[in-house]
Amino acid sequence: MRKNLWSGIFFGIGLVAFIDETVFHQLLHWHHFYDKSTTAIGLVSDGFFHAFSWFFTVGGLFMVADVRRRRVWQPGKWVSGVLLGAGGFQLYDGIVQHKLMQLHQIRYHLNILPYDLVWFIISVLMLLIGVNLLILSAKKAKAG
């Protein structure tokens, strides 16, 4: 059932966005979602980003509740979806929001290359692991 995968993807997007916003925006104060204006505008943009992450997280969990209620829960497919959503969002954030749109960078006033490399490597690893789990889940479902 595709809803297992999509609920994982939505939850993964929401989870990684929530971690990004909590760690890099609130705790470390490295950047705001939108850094091309005043601090007040940056804080408002963080609020919208935080709401976005919760909509995806809660939406994904409602979908999980639905597949569990229907007794078609596939944990392997769901975990692969979480990794695909998290890795996909992080890759999108790093390429589109950081580099193309330049809404913000991971850090400022220092060499950001190591930060970018870690960001992209983690993104790609999550995507690769997610794809592998999805393939294994499909093989397991076919065999069982």
Side-chain angles (χ1 to χ4, degrees), residues 105-121:
Q105 292 299 320
I106 298 171
R107 300 243 6 223
Y108 292 97
H109 312 297
L110 47 83
N111 180 10
I112 62 171
L113 181 61
Y115 295 92
D116 284 340
L117 288 175
V118 169
W119 195 268
F120 291 124
I121 289 168

Side-chain angles (χ1 to χ4, degrees), residues 17-43:
F18 174 77
I19 291 169
D20 177 7
E21 207 275 324
T22 301
V23 173
F24 300 112
H25 298 223
Q26 293 177 7
L27 297 175
L28 297 175
H29 298 178
W30 283 1
H31 62 260
H32 296 292
F33 177 75
Y34 183 73
D35 270 340
K36 294 187 174 264
S37 187
T38 65
T39 301
I41 296 296
L43 289 172

Side-chain angles (χ1 to χ4, degrees), residues 59-120:
L61 291 175
F62 270 104
M63 292 171 75
V64 167
D66 184 51
V67 295
R68 288 183 62 90
R69 181 183 56 79
R70 294 177 192 215
R71 299 193 193 301
V72 291
W73 170 244
Q74 296 172 315
K77 193 177 275 191
W78 187 80
V79 170
S80 69
V82 170
L83 289 166
L84 290 170
F89 177 80
Q90 189 161 320
L91 193 61
Y92 159 81
D93 184 37
I95 292 173
V96 175
Q97 294 178 356
H98 294 185
K99 301 303 172 199
L100 297 177
M101 296 174 70
Q102 297 182 351
L103 295 176
H104 61 266
Q105 292 299 320
I106 298 171
R107 300 243 6 223
Y108 292 97
H109 312 297
L110 47 83
N111 180 10
I112 62 171
L113 181 61
Y115 295 92
D116 284 340
L117 288 175
V118 169
W119 195 268
F120 291 124

Side-chain angles (χ1 to χ4, degrees), residues 48-59:
F48 283 116
F49 182 54
H50 195 63
F52 159 84
S53 73
W54 273 108
F55 288 139
F56 270 84
T57 305
V58 171

